[in-house]
Amino acid sequence: MKEFIKRNRHAWLILTYLPIYMLWFLILENTVTKDYYIIRSPLDSYIPFVEWFIIPYLLWFPFIAGFVLYFILKDKTEYYRLCGLLMSGMTVFLLVCTFFPNGLDLRPDLSTLGRDNVFLDIIRVLHKADTATNVCPSIHVYNSLAVCLAVFTSEHFKTRHVIKGGTLVLTVLICMSTVFLKQHSIIDVFCSFLLMAVFSPVFYLRRSSKTADAGAVSKEDTENVFN
C-alpha cells in the first residue's frame, strides 16, 4: 500500500475521504433507529420483489472500486473529476440523512415468500448487515451514474464500445436492483438522478465546453494553413 501511494500520490484524496464517509455513515446507522421519516411512493407497490437482482446489487462494489482504481492508475485528471462528483453526492447524502433521518418499510418477510434459494440466503445476510435506514438519496444509484458518466466521457474508452456498453447495462441493472430488492424506494432513485443533474455539470460540462472550443480552434488553424 505504501508503494502504491508513493507511485500514485493523488490517491490520497479518495483514501482520506472514505474513512470519514464510513465513520459518519456508521454513526448514522447506529443512531437513526427510530423517529425517522418513511420514504415511500405508490409506485413502489407495483414493483415486485425479485431476489436475483442481488447479483448486480453486489457487483456495485467492484464496479465502483474498479473504475476508481483504473482512473487512479491511468488518468489523474479523470480521477479528480470522478472523485469530485462522487464525494459531492456522498457528502450531500450524509447531510440529508443527518438532518432529515429517513428509512423505509418496503422489505418483505423472506420467510413468507414460499421459496428458498441462494439469492435469498445472501439477502438475509444483507438485511442483517444493512439497516433499512439512511436510504435517500440512493448512493448505489448515484455512484453508478457517476462512474458511467466518467467512462462515457473518458478518452481512454472513446473507442472501447464493449466496455461502454457493458458499463451502461450494469449501471441500469444496479439502479433497477435497488428497487426490485426493496432496498430503496423509487423516490430514492429519483433523488439520486436529481442530485446527479445538479453536480454533473459542475465537473463535466466545463470540460465539454473546453474540448469543443479546442476543437473549433484546431479546425480554424487547419483552414488557415490550407488557405
Side-chain angles (χ1 to χ4, degrees), residues 143-205:
N143 284 4
S144 298
L145 294 174
V147 166
C148 188
L149 177 61
V151 170
F152 270 76
T153 57
S154 172
E155 289 296 321
H156 288 265
F157 299 104
K158 188 174 182 179
T159 59
R160 298 182 180 181
H161 304 299
V162 173
I163 294 178
K164 290 166 69 174
T167 298
L168 180 60
V169 170
L170 184 54
T171 297
V172 172
L173 287 174
I174 290 172
C175 293
M176 292 175 63
S177 74
T178 62
V179 292
F180 278 96
L181 290 178
K182 302 301 179 179
Q183 285 291 103
H184 287 280
S185 163
I186 196 70
I187 294 175
D188 305 332
V189 175
F190 173 79
C191 288
S192 298
F193 273 85
L194 182 62
L195 198 59
M196 180 58 58
V198 171
F199 284 121
S200 57
V202 175
F203 296 98
Y204 285 88
L205 187 59

Side-chain angles (χ1 to χ4, degrees), residues 68-170:
V68 170
L69 179 59
Y70 177 88
F71 288 122
I72 287 175
L73 299 174
K74 298 294 185 179
D75 191 334
K76 186 188 297 186
T77 301
E78 194 66 54
Y79 159 75
Y80 279 126
R81 187 176 291 114
L82 175 58
C83 279
L85 187 58
L86 290 172
M87 292 163 57
S88 296
M90 293 165 73
T91 301
V92 169
F93 160 76
L94 292 173
L95 291 171
V96 169
C97 292
T98 298
F99 296 104
F100 180 66
N102 58 78
L104 45 78
D105 58 0
L106 297 172
R107 291 180 176 180
D109 182 351
L110 301 183
S111 63
T112 64
L113 296 179
R115 59 183 184 273
D116 199 17
N117 51 59
V118 66
F119 302 130
L120 291 177
D121 291 338
I122 297 173
I123 294 171
R124 289 187 183 96
V125 175
L126 174 64
H127 285 180
K128 289 180 180 179
D130 183 30
T131 70
T133 57
N134 308 308
V135 295
C136 186
S138 168
I139 289 300
H140 252 68
V141 172
Y142 180 85
N143 284 4
S144 298
L145 294 174
V147 166
C148 188
L149 177 61
V151 170
F152 270 76
T153 57
S154 172
E155 289 296 321
H156 288 265
F157 299 104
K158 188 174 182 179
T159 59
R160 298 182 180 181
H161 304 299
V162 173
I163 294 178
K164 290 166 69 174
T167 298
L168 180 60
V169 170
L170 184 54

